[in-house]
Amino acid sequence: MRHLLSAADLDAGTANALLDTAERLKEALLGREVRKLPTLRGRTVVTMFYESSTRTRASFEIAGKWMSADVVNVSASGSAVSKGESLRDTALTLAAMGTDCVILRHPASGAAHRMSEWVGAHVVNAGDGMHEHPTQALLDAATLRERLGSLEGRRVTIVGDVLHSRVARSNVALLHTLGARVHLVAPPTLLPTGVTAWPVTIGHDLDAALPGSDAVMTLRVQEERMHGGFFPSAREYAIGYGLSEPRAARLPEHAVVLHPGPMLRGMEISAAVADSSRAAITSQVSNGVHVRMAVLYHLLASQEEES
Amino acid sequence: MSGDRPLLLRGILPYGEGEPTDLLVADGVIAELGPALDPTGAEVRDAGGLVALPGFVDLHTHLREPGREDAETIESGSAAAALGGYTAVFAMANTDPVTDTAPAAEHVRRRGREVGLVDVHPVGAVTVGLGGERLAELGSMARSAAEVRVFSDDGVCVHDPLVMRRALEYSTALGAVIAQHAEEPRLTGGAQAHEGEIAARLGLAGWPATAEESIVARDCLLAGAAGARLHVCHVSSAGTVDTLRWARGRGVAVSSEVTPHHLLLTDERLAGFDPVNKVNPPLRTGDDGTALRAALADGVIDCVATDHAPHAPQDKDCEWAAARPGMLGLQTALSVVVETMVRPGLLDWRGVARVMSERPAGVGSVEGQGRPVAAGEPATLVLVDPDATWTVQAARLASLSANTPFEGMTLPARVVTTLLRGRITAEDGAVRG
């Protein structure tokens, strides 16, 4: 693996190897007082975030630091970017400093693909526009494996703003690769034209989908969408697509609730559901660190690096 | 060029038809056409097997001067045009400043004349500053030395139906045509790619075909009611073709053009996010391409126009959303038309002459272009080697920019010689100023 640009690029073998590594790293660190592995000592990892982020950025930084990499954070504000420097020039500057790995979050779909053509370093896509967020899909898969065992044949319902969601795109690709059956539920205005080509089933009735779901993933509805005419009101959205407590009760006993965060409690998901035992939201966050450690390991330290 | 030696071209095939014949150029016109002409006093060229066509006319060229001379100039764009077999180009108005006054139009026309490689006809803006609100001085531009006959806000759509109605009505007094960039802006906010399966997968905001089709339908109705001439720029969707066919059936005076890239390329090319494939309207599906080629063959679409749109490297070698839309086209147009239309049997060489020369000259109301290859007609010609192939290399194109989507492709047919009123403007890949 040279870069991680898209979950769609991962075959089942590679995806499972990453998830296995994440599991081993999690076990290795479990209960340790000093959570530090020497694996990436002397390697430099740069995070470049052109959008605000708390969890993803912190997660990558912690992942790098727990593996002893030198982690440098660059953000769009307070850097040359705010002086009008192009993404390419910023990338070339950082590459010239001997960066081994660039972790990029950018509002433009395809930004990580472009980056991989400009710099010699390994590139990890930490979210590009509406395109993909592959490490989110990996951490979701890790969490589902933990709760459900194999994903083969499992039914995963993804509900919410699929149109604008890179989380949805990465999850559809990876869950399909891992053998899960994905069902999308959203108002028609929040499904992309062309979604019919995806390896999913599509519906508009969340209540009908829940009893047959092994997991339900609620997507974030961004503030700006609420005023973009995609649906009439936040209230109507919550009524149709919010994961309320009575609605969650329709899920089978073993079913898992996931949310990529940050959550809009009360609209996408009720507080009671978010805090219930079936919610795996904090596991998602902790698995995020291990999955990102696994990604850095496979890119920077694994023997198969140059294959 | 009176005073120059006559030029005798041996063994050409007018329109690729019949037996090889000779063509004598003297005083800027085709003096004689026939077998075994007397070479006395003439400069003789072996043109054996070359197809002779009227010089190409491009209704849709962005020459970028004034304003973005780092991307293209009237000089470099004229060279690209001559090398591509063009003898006339229509320079779009979206320069900086915009071509929305008579002096601005006259400047472009004059620069074109000074360079002298191709007739440069300025397109006038429909509205002041392409702002879409107030009509530009169409009459002044039409009556100026630039003799503007095509008006367009290309790059943006004249989206306000009342402004478009007035423009169409007003243009009828000028013998002019309004060329519309059909794009309903309310449906394309932030659009990055054809709205469909590819854009859905890549997470690129969609540019729905309906944004084009709805404007074309509206404008056909307005043009019909006004008795005006409408030209639809860069038709990109199968639905637009249906709409044009319907409007023609109603007797609307609507003409249209298709670009080489929409004939050949599809949105499958977007997978790697290389902005060289970003263009407006966007590359669409294979089914759209099939409909466009069929429409060009049966005449529902009148012309091929390049939408030659040079961009500086920094405007293309960047992330997709930041890149400017547009592709080079002048030097590859013929080869793409041969690849997509002639080789599959959709057009013969007479058809190529129709879509690349005769019809565009008619739409643009230019005299002395798109004339028959016949004695007494202007020697404004292109000679094409139909059997040659060549591999596109941006670095070897005359344009100052390198944004060709055809890079590395091996394409059929090559322009050997271009003549403008008897004078050779390009020959064997080099311009002759």
Side-chain angles (χ1 to χ4, degrees):
Chain A
M1 196 163 80
R2 171 106 189 99
H3 308 290
L4 179 60
L5 304 178
S6 159
D9 295 341
L10 297 173
D11 57 31
T14 311
N16 278 311
L18 282 166
L19 296 173
D20 292 344
T21 303
E23 222 171 272
R24 279 202 303 277
L25 287 163
K26 183 175 189 170
E27 283 160 15
L29 291 167
L30 202 69
R32 279 213 202 188
E33 207 160 291
V34 178
R35 282 177 293 197
K36 201 85 166 173
L37 304 172
T39 326
L40 297 182
R41 201 157 52 197
R43 300 300 195 105
T44 303
V45 173
V46 174
T47 70
M48 292 173 70
F49 274 58
Y50 287 73
E51 286 179 342
S52 58
S53 159
T54 307
R55 73 194 63 215
T56 305
R57 173 172 216 149
S59 181
F60 269 112
E61 184 172 353
I62 291 167
K65 286 183 169 168
W66 283 2
M67 298 180 89
S68 304
D70 296 309
V71 181
V72 179
N73 297 318
V74 177
S75 56
S77 57
S79 70
V81 176
S82 57
K83 298 172 191 163
E85 186 173 66
S86 71
L87 176 64
R88 183 170 178 272
D89 283 337
T90 306
L92 293 177
T93 301
L94 294 170
M97 292 176 187
T99 302
D100 296 297
C101 182
V102 174
I103 294 161
L104 177 67
R105 164 158 301 183
H106 198 279
S109 297
H113 279 79
R114 299 296 290 151
M115 177 71 68
S116 72
E117 287 158 19
W118 294 328
V119 299
H122 301 278
V123 176
V124 177
N125 180 4
D128 63 326
M130 307 188 300
H131 177 226
E132 283 229 28
H133 189 357
T135 58
Q136 177 72 41
L138 284 165
L139 73 87
D140 288 337
T143 307
L144 291 173
R145 268 195 3 172
E146 213 169 62
R147 292 283 186 110
L148 301 171
S150 165
L151 285 174
E152 187 67 43
R154 293 292 192 174
R155 292 160 169 274
V156 181
T157 295
I158 300 177
V159 56
D161 183 0
V162 176
L163 176 62
H164 301 99
S165 176
R166 54 194 174 212
V167 174
R169 283 180 179 78
S170 284
N171 262 301
V172 165
L174 187 64
L175 289 169
H176 173 70
T177 299
L178 295 174
R181 288 187 282 167
V182 182
H183 183 63
L184 302 180
V185 177
T189 46
L190 290 177
L191 288 168
T193 301
V195 73
T196 45
W198 294 7
V200 297
T201 52
I202 296 159
H204 310 295
D205 186 346
L206 184 55
D207 288 319
L210 291 176
S213 298
D214 297 299
V216 57
M217 189 181 291
T218 54
L219 299 171
R220 205 158 70 84
V221 177
Q222 288 169 25
E223 180 69 24
E224 60 265 32
R225 310 297 174 215
M226 289 184 225
H227 308 293
F230 290 96
F231 47 87
S233 68
R235 193 178 61 150
E236 181 157 313
Y237 181 89
I239 291 169
Y241 303 95
L243 194 58
S244 62
E245 209 173 356
R247 196 166 259 159
R250 300 174 71 89
L251 285 163
E253 195 65 28
H254 67 275
V256 189
V257 171
L258 301 178
H259 193 296
M263 282 184 284
L264 277 178
R265 287 171 184 252
M267 181 173 164
E268 304 150 354
I269 189 165
S270 77
V273 176
D275 297 329
S276 70
S277 61
R278 65 163 85 246
I281 295 161
T282 50
S283 306
Q284 288 175 275
V285 175
S286 61
N287 284 330
V289 177
H290 306 124
V291 155
R292 289 173 178 124
M293 289 173 78
V295 168
L296 292 175
Y297 175 81
H298 279 255
L299 289 176
L300 296 171
S302 171
Q303 294 306 308
E304 60 203 323
E305 183 188 323
E306 296 308 327
S307 67
Chain B
M1 291 259 135
S2 56
D4 283 4
R5 274 174 80 191
L7 176 67
L8 180 62
L9 302 169
R10 287 265 194 231
I12 60 148
L13 296 164
Y15 305 101
E17 294 168 355
E19 294 301 310
T21 186
D22 294 354
L23 187 153
L24 183 69
V25 176
D27 297 326
V29 300
I30 301 171
E32 270 187 274
L33 188 62
L37 296 182
D38 178 8
T40 309
E43 184 183 339
V44 181
R45 296 290 162 97
D46 175 21
L50 301 185
V51 174
L53 302 172
F56 303 144
V57 177
D58 190 17
L59 279 173
H60 197 141
T61 314
H62 295 276
L63 294 178
R64 300 295 186 225
E65 180 181 344
R68 283 306 297 265
E69 290 84 350
D70 59 327
E72 196 79 291
T73 62
I74 290 172
E75 186 170 7
S76 64
S78 292
L83 290 165
Y86 285 90
T87 49
V89 298
F90 284 75
M92 276 299 173
N94 63 338
T95 47
D96 181 15
V98 170
T99 312
D100 57 2
T101 60
E106 285 170 346
H107 170 77
V108 172
R109 185 98 166 109
R110 187 168 59 248
R111 276 298 296 145
R113 279 220 183 88
E114 286 164 9
V115 173
L117 291 169
V118 59
D119 290 347
V120 177
H121 296 280
V123 173
V126 176
T127 64
V128 174
L130 310 179
E133 292 179 357
R134 211 151 44 83
L135 286 186
E137 291 178 346
L138 310 186
S140 301
M141 287 189 270
R143 285 185 287 269
S144 75
E147 298 173 284
V148 179
R149 292 292 178 272
V150 180
F151 294 95
S152 181
D153 276 1
D154 179 66
V156 290
C157 182
V158 183
H159 61 90
D160 184 320
L162 184 58
V163 174
M164 188 60 181
R165 176 190 170 170
R166 298 290 185 234
L168 286 163
E169 287 172 343
Y170 196 80
S171 69
T172 58
L174 307 173
V177 64
I178 304 293
Q180 176 70 295
H181 170 119
E183 174 183 356
E184 169 51 60
R186 289 284 291 149
L187 294 175
T188 59
Q192 297 291 330
H194 168 66
E195 187 174 276
E197 289 177 16
I198 304 288
R201 181 158 56 78
L202 299 179
L204 294 170
W207 200 126
T210 50
E212 175 175 301
E213 294 152 5
S214 57
I215 291 290
V216 172
R218 180 199 78 177
D219 288 355
C220 285
L221 293 168
L222 292 173
R229 288 170 60 212
L230 169 70
H231 179 74
V232 180
C233 296
H234 39 52
V235 173
S236 71
S237 89
T240 298
V241 170
D242 292 340
T243 307
L244 290 168
R245 191 174 279 120
W246 161 82
R248 285 275 182 86
R250 288 170 61 104
V252 175
V254 57
S255 59
S256 62
E257 65 189 36
V258 61
T259 70
H261 46 269
H262 287 109
L263 289 174
L264 181 61
L265 308 177
T266 69
D267 62 349
E268 301 275 344
R269 304 226 346 161
L270 273 53
F273 293 100
D274 184 345
V276 79
N277 297 305
K278 182 171 174 177
V279 65
N280 191 15
L283 299 180
R284 299 200 191 271
T285 67
D287 287 346
D288 290 304
T290 303
L292 295 171
R293 293 189 294 272
L296 184 62
D298 69 20
V300 169
I301 293 176
D302 300 77
C303 337
V304 170
T306 64
D307 197 3
H308 179 82
H311 286 297
Q314 67 272 20
D315 293 324
K316 279 293 191 182
D317 197 8
C318 56
E319 54 275 26
W320 183 277
R324 288 173 187 264
M327 300 171 165
L328 298 185
L330 286 167
Q331 281 180 259
T332 44
L334 171 73
S335 292
V336 173
V337 169
V338 172
E339 173 78 14
T340 56
M341 301 297 296
V342 178
R343 286 210 163 168
L346 290 167
L347 280 183
D348 55 15
W349 288 104
R350 266 196 196 269
V352 173
R354 184 184 86 228
V355 302
M356 295 190 71
S357 179
E358 294 159 11
R359 287 298 299 138
V363 172
S365 307
V366 286
E367 288 174 11
Q369 297 274 354
R371 300 294 306 165
V373 182
E377 295 289 349
T380 296
L381 300 167
V382 57
L383 304 182
V384 174
D385 182 347
D387 301 318
T389 59
W390 62 294
T391 301
V392 181
Q393 288 175 274
R396 300 193 59 182
L397 300 178
S399 177
L400 295 184
S401 296
N403 53 305
T404 172
F406 308 112
E407 177 74 17
M409 290 176 75
T410 299
L411 295 172
R414 191 171 61 86
V415 171
V416 177
T417 308
T418 311
L419 289 118
L420 177 62
R421 291 181 286 277
R423 191 167 57 81
I424 293 174
T425 53
E427 189 170 39
D428 293 326
V431 291
R432 302 223 321 208

